[in-house]
Amino acid sequence: MLVPALLAIAFFVLPIVGLASRVPWSDLRRLVSDDASREALGLSLITSLTATVIATLFGLPLAWLLARVQFPGRRLVRSICTLSMVLPPVVAGVALLAALGRRGVVGARLDAWFGLALPFSTPAVVIAQVFVAMPFLVLTVESAIVATDPTVEEAGRTLGASPFYLFSRVTLPSVRPAIVAGMVLTWARALGEFGATITFAGNFPGTTRTLPIATYLALESDIDQALLMSLVLVAVSMAVLISMSDRWTGVVGGRR
């Protein structure tokens, strides 16, 4: 078992080592000071943080609903709400266009009634990131809520506590580590989103060109810049996984 395990580790380590070895460290200052790269990084940070806030506001109630409320079709609802985790990113972008594009199911009405066109705009970037990243928060928090002892909430109900009081003063504090883990994972996924973003939001400098898109474009014109931006994304993702690994494992395993 040791030999194939070591080969598997080497399989994952080798691309990272290759990336780090190809980065032109002597030109690091020039590459970091590039205006286009900084603009793409700034846009990625703003949109990914906004997407994380929105995903948290809507994902927490959804996680509670799936964990605590028994209703017909709950498994189907959970599957639909987490489907974007396994969808090809381009398919997710096409689905968003079909729903929110100018000829989409909802987008056509938004355009006709309010003159609101979402595709190929900065809000479209946020929407794409929320769509692909929110399931990470929902599943993380739902698993933690299911693992908590419901007798405390039941005792609160018998004492006359309102549902909102129980949710805000009992449920949320008990799953706070899972909420933090879910938010960090959601942010990391949103920061690295590419396929749905370029399909639904396009590629416009300063408006929709995020760091992953800029990295892809740099491959055609400046390979050194592409290597550096790739390394930045790898470093961020690695830092997230290392900092949250124990907490994430505990949440998935149902341990407090």
Side-chain angles (χ1 to χ4, degrees), residues 35-220:
D35 292 337
S37 300
R38 290 189 297 177
E39 185 179 60
L41 177 60
L43 179 64
S44 292
L45 292 175
I46 293 173
T47 55
S48 61
L49 289 172
T50 303
T52 302
V53 172
I54 296 174
T56 303
L57 291 176
F58 290 93
L60 288 180
L62 176 57
W64 174 85
L65 177 72
L66 295 174
R68 286 286 188 258
V69 180
Q70 300 290 336
F71 58 91
R74 186 176 64 161
R75 289 186 177 181
L76 178 61
V77 172
R78 180 187 291 109
S79 299
I80 293 175
C81 293
T82 57
L83 179 63
S84 59
M85 289 183 67
V86 296
L87 275 180
V90 175
V91 175
V94 172
L96 288 172
L97 277 175
L100 300 175
R102 290 191 172 183
R103 298 182 180 180
V105 176
V106 176
R109 290 165 176 77
L110 291 176
D111 190 18
W113 295 347
F114 307 105
L116 181 60
L118 291 175
F120 311 111
S121 64
T122 302
V125 177
V126 177
I127 291 172
Q129 291 174 343
V130 172
F131 185 66
V132 301
M134 187 164 67
F136 288 87
L137 183 135
V138 172
L139 290 181
T140 303
V141 177
E142 182 196 357
S143 299
I145 294 176
V146 170
T148 58
D149 188 358
T151 57
V152 178
E153 296 179 12
E154 294 171 0
R157 293 191 192 97
T158 60
L159 295 174
S162 66
F164 178 77
Y165 182 89
L166 290 174
F167 179 72
S168 60
R169 299 297 183 89
V170 178
T171 305
L172 288 185
S174 65
V175 297
R176 185 178 290 112
I179 295 174
V180 174
M183 290 179 66
V184 173
L185 288 170
T186 298
W187 172 73
R189 179 63 184 88
L191 182 67
E193 164 52 33
F194 171 78
T197 302
I198 197 171
T199 305
F200 181 55
N203 169 37
F204 299 98
T207 304
T208 65
R209 183 179 293 178
T210 58
L211 192 60
I213 296 176
T215 301
Y216 177 77
L217 295 175
L219 284 172
E220 301 179 358

